[in-house]
Amino acid sequence: MTRRYWNINLEEMMEAGVHFGHGTRKWNPKMAPYISAKRKGIHITNLTRTARFLSEACDLVFDAASRGKQFLIVGTKNKEADSVAWAAIRAGCHYVNKKWLGGMLTNWSTTETRLHKFRDLRTEQKIGGLNRLPKRDAAMLKRQLSHLQTYLGGIKYMTRLPDIVIIVDQHEEYTALQECITLGIPTICLIDTNCDPDLADISIPANDDAISSIRLILNKLVFAICEGRSGYNRNP
Amino acid sequence: MATSLTSSLSSTFSALSLRRFSLLPTPHHPTSLSLPKPLNFPSIKTQSTDIDTIYFENDDPDEITTFNPPEKPEGFEPPPSFDEGPQETEEQIALAYEELYGPAYSGESLLGNNVNVMDSKVKKTNTFGKVKKEKIRDGFEERVVQVRRVTKVVKGGKQMHFRAVVVVGDKKGQVGVGVGKAKEVVSAVQKSATNARRNIVTVPMTKYLTFPHRCDGDYGAAKVMLRPASPGTGVIAGGSVRIVLEMAGVENALGKQLGSNNALNNARATVVAVQQMRQFSEVARDRGIPMEELWK
């Protein structure tokens, strides 16, 4: 696999605050190799390693996208929800914005049933079938539709299980990570100082609290996906 | 090198099975194109006047101290961040997605594809009341070891369920044991068959369709002893052990249930015993000695 240039600047990462970790008391000792210092009760991650892992992750993602694999980005914290959605739309990947429903991947057959219902409701809405029902039924169906839109809106184009899953905060999305592990799906995860680096396949030690750091890393990954996809479209 | 990790990852994509990879920090060999100012935190230690900062000792000799990305290609401009740049309208977004994935579950189609493309996945409900029994798929044969009626006592009375233990195997060395519970026998058998298909093991067999060596396995209170036999013996074992061995395709073996007689636990114990067996060629390869040494 060729290593490409991904415009990863250590100065840029420091500006975005990627090197800040969580408080000292909350750390996971398995993260010791990736922590370089401790300042004012906060762990500081080693940015050279972060840059290294980030470029490896970008290479992997570029390679997978050029083979036409499907991605899924998971990020459910309130602050990041919007950026996750925009990033995924820009890259053309599926995403999970709001709560990750338990069993979304391991219980894929049930999720498919919900997606079918979502699709039927959408078609009904488009052809105006909701206006012919009495008001109460129409209101119920509209509510169901909005629920399905918030939870499943990002995966409505997903026909089968994704090939790579990108998780934004390991602590928060622990269920999603466990599901991918049971199914054997490779994962790329943003690790903070209180997370376990051995769970994901590629873990990028970074700050998961600041939006700027998440945006920076998502930018790089999305860029890699776009590049890979454009290569794929020419040679399928 | 980084290429070893990422090449192994790319090779797994070409294979259908996805294994888990271990995360090892690959040793990095600094090239001549190193950054002018490598960020080595220990060297900054002496210049720092911040007494609150405590630096960790990096003990790993193979650690990555410099980050050497490949060279910047000429004329490279950083792409716009995803929230700057023109916001795409919903139509454009839907169009882009549909080009990639087809209309899937979106309910609308801008490129003229069939909206109901995912309907073939839905199992058509039979117009008759009874569901047709599914044919044997994947070449695996199922055999029911035991069906029991189990009871849960609640305030209103007793609730009955059926628990089925099923052994699934092709007769070529793959077996699996599964359990399933349901309110009806048939659905319990189906559930246990799906469960069995998830935990399949391979049985190491010699060319005379028997084991390479004797082995004991235990699960819970059930202890099972398995012993190879010469061709023409057949499977001489009782109950669930016999069923597991038959579905694996083993023709000649001896087996004895030494502990409890519980069917499910004995089936699981034979699976455990079979997993511990090794072929002679494997052992010789791992130990690095020729096979003749093993028979001395």
Side-chain angles (χ1 to χ4, degrees):
Chain A
M1 187 181 305
T2 54
R3 298 181 58 199
R4 292 168 60 111
Y5 176 72
W6 296 117
N7 193 25
I8 297 175
N9 268 340
L10 293 176
E11 291 83 20
E12 204 184 331
M13 299 213 289
M14 288 203 67
E15 269 182 27
V18 174
H19 57 298
F20 291 121
H22 279 303
T24 334
R25 285 163 201 267
K26 293 201 228 163
W27 77 314
N28 189 330
K30 286 192 198 176
M31 291 291 291
Y34 309 118
I35 297 179
S36 73
K38 184 165 71 160
R39 186 188 306 165
K40 290 188 185 152
I42 298 185
H43 282 294
I44 311 284
T45 48
N46 192 344
L47 273 185
T48 45
R49 301 207 177 176
T50 304
R52 183 60 186 289
F53 285 130
L54 185 55
S55 72
E56 273 189 21
C58 285
D59 283 329
L60 172 70
V61 151
F62 172 78
D63 198 49
S66 53
R67 287 175 212 216
K69 304 287 179 184
Q70 298 194 1
F71 298 88
L72 173 68
I73 308 186
V74 182
T76 56
K77 287 213 281 225
N78 285 341
K79 286 191 291 186
E80 325 157 345
D82 291 334
S83 14
V84 163
W86 284 336
I89 290 178
R90 170 65 70 92
C93 323
H94 317 288
Y95 61 96
V96 172
N97 217 354
K98 304 292 178 187
K99 175 166 162 22
W100 168 275
L101 307 172
M104 227 184 225
L105 295 181
T106 42
N107 199 358
W108 177 242
S109 38
T110 309
T111 314
E112 267 192 329
T113 324
R114 287 285 94 200
L115 283 171
H116 272 284
K117 179 93 195 265
F118 181 41
R119 201 246 343 248
D120 293 336
L121 281 180
R122 282 277 288 246
T123 43
E124 287 274 301
Q125 190 191 38
K126 272 191 71 172
I127 62 179
L130 294 181
N131 298 330
R132 293 182 215 136
L133 293 171
K135 233 179 10 180
R136 187 162 156 271
D137 293 344
M140 268 178 16
L141 288 180
K142 278 199 192 129
R143 215 179 312 138
Q144 276 186 5
L145 187 59
S146 67
H147 270 272
L148 289 173
Q149 176 67 37
T150 47
Y151 291 132
L152 300 180
I155 59 173
K156 63 181 184 236
Y157 285 99
M158 199 150 92
T159 46
R160 55 188 170 88
L161 292 179
D163 300 302
I164 302 192
V165 173
I166 302 175
I167 300 181
V168 165
D169 180 8
Q170 193 191 17
H171 215 58
E172 182 89 10
E173 327 285 348
Y174 194 64
T175 34
L177 189 61
Q178 283 293 344
E179 286 193 24
C180 297
I181 293 176
T182 41
L183 289 173
I185 301 180
T187 48
I188 300 175
C189 206
L190 251 66
I191 304 274
D192 209 335
T193 50
N194 60 351
C195 303
D196 189 352
D198 302 330
L199 288 177
D201 292 314
I202 296 189
S203 43
I204 306 176
N207 183 8
D208 56 18
D209 270 340
I211 308 187
S212 50
S213 86
I214 295 176
R215 275 183 46 180
L216 187 124
I217 297 195
L218 278 181
N219 257 325
K220 307 279 187 264
L221 290 170
V222 156
F223 175 47
I225 298 179
C226 287
E227 291 263 295
R229 282 258 170 80
S230 58
Y232 172 68
N233 280 334
R234 276 178 232 133
N235 327 315
Chain B
M1 290 289 285
T3 48
S4 61
L5 176 64
T6 40
S7 61
S8 68
L9 286 171
S10 61
S11 63
T12 51
F13 278 125
S14 44
L16 280 177
S17 63
L18 296 167
R19 292 171 291 124
R20 299 234 34 240
F21 336 93
S22 61
L23 180 68
L24 299 168
T26 52
H28 186 79
H29 305 290
T31 62
S32 54
L33 308 163
S34 55
L35 288 176
K37 278 181 286 180
L39 288 183
N40 275 331
F41 282 107
S43 66
I44 307 178
K45 196 197 281 194
T46 49
Q47 305 147 16
S48 163
T49 50
D50 184 4
I51 52 174
D52 293 331
T53 319
I54 303 167
Y55 291 96
F56 282 57
E57 288 297 326
N58 290 325
D59 303 299
D60 189 15
D62 294 325
E63 71 172 23
I64 311 158
T65 45
T66 52
F67 170 55
N68 301 332
E71 272 199 7
K72 187 167 176 164
E74 296 165 8
F76 180 87
E77 15 172 288
S81 150
F82 47 75
D83 29 358
E84 305 148 13
Q87 285 288 348
E88 301 177 329
T89 64
E90 288 212 9
E91 272 213 32
Q92 286 177 331
I93 298 174
L95 198 67
Y97 268 105
E98 195 167 331
E99 274 180 25
L100 283 171
Y101 304 116
Y105 297 105
S106 62
E108 63 207 356
S109 170
L110 296 167
L111 292 175
N113 297 326
N114 181 13
V115 181
N116 297 330
V117 72
M118 303 303 296
D119 268 347
S120 52
K121 304 268 178 84
V122 177
K123 290 185 210 136
K124 294 193 176 40
T125 53
N126 229 336
T127 47
F128 303 102
K130 202 168 159 196
V131 180
K132 250 194 297 191
K133 189 159 183 171
E134 281 182 35
K135 299 176 281 257
I136 300 168
R137 32 178 183 160
D138 325 31
F140 275 118
E141 207 192 307
E142 314 169 353
R143 183 118 39 112
V144 173
V145 170
Q146 186 197 56
V147 171
R148 252 193 189 179
R149 193 174 70 166
V150 293
T151 323
K152 174 177 164 164
V153 176
V154 294
K155 191 158 98 171
K158 298 183 193 164
Q159 284 187 359
M160 311 285 190
H161 292 117
F162 288 96
R163 185 187 80 161
V165 177
V166 155
V167 171
V168 137
D170 63 352
K171 304 276 176 70
K172 299 193 189 95
Q174 312 254 28
V175 255
V177 176
V179 207
K181 265 171 47 174
K183 286 206 178 153
E184 291 186 13
V185 177
V186 182
S187 25
V189 167
Q190 277 179 353
K191 274 191 198 174
S192 54
T194 29
N195 193 357
R197 288 194 166 98
R198 286 202 200 135
N199 336 322
I200 298 195
V201 289
T202 38
V203 177
M205 288 205 289
T206 63
K207 78 172 172 198
Y208 298 113
L209 299 177
T210 184
F211 301 126
H213 58 87
R214 69 181 288 180
C215 195
D216 291 341
D218 48 1
Y219 186 92
K223 199 164 145 172
V224 160
M225 190 269 293
L226 296 172
R227 212 189 125 203
S230 46
T233 318
V235 175
I236 305 190
S240 45
V241 179
R242 159 182 291 247
I243 297 188
V244 169
L245 296 181
E246 279 180 4
M247 302 304 281
V250 172
E251 297 258 318
N252 314 298
L254 305 171
K256 176 95 183 117
Q257 299 179 10
L258 295 169
S260 95
N261 294 333
N262 187 306
L264 172 59
N265 283 351
N266 275 310
R268 289 203 175 141
T270 48
V271 165
V272 163
V274 150
Q275 270 176 322
Q276 290 174 359
M277 291 187 190
R278 304 273 169 263
Q279 292 277 18
F280 279 104
S281 43
E282 267 181 48
V283 172
R285 189 167 20 102
D286 289 337
R287 283 170 69 176
I289 53 179
M291 280 212 319
E292 284 73 28
E293 298 265 333
L294 291 172
W295 285 309
K296 288 214 179 119

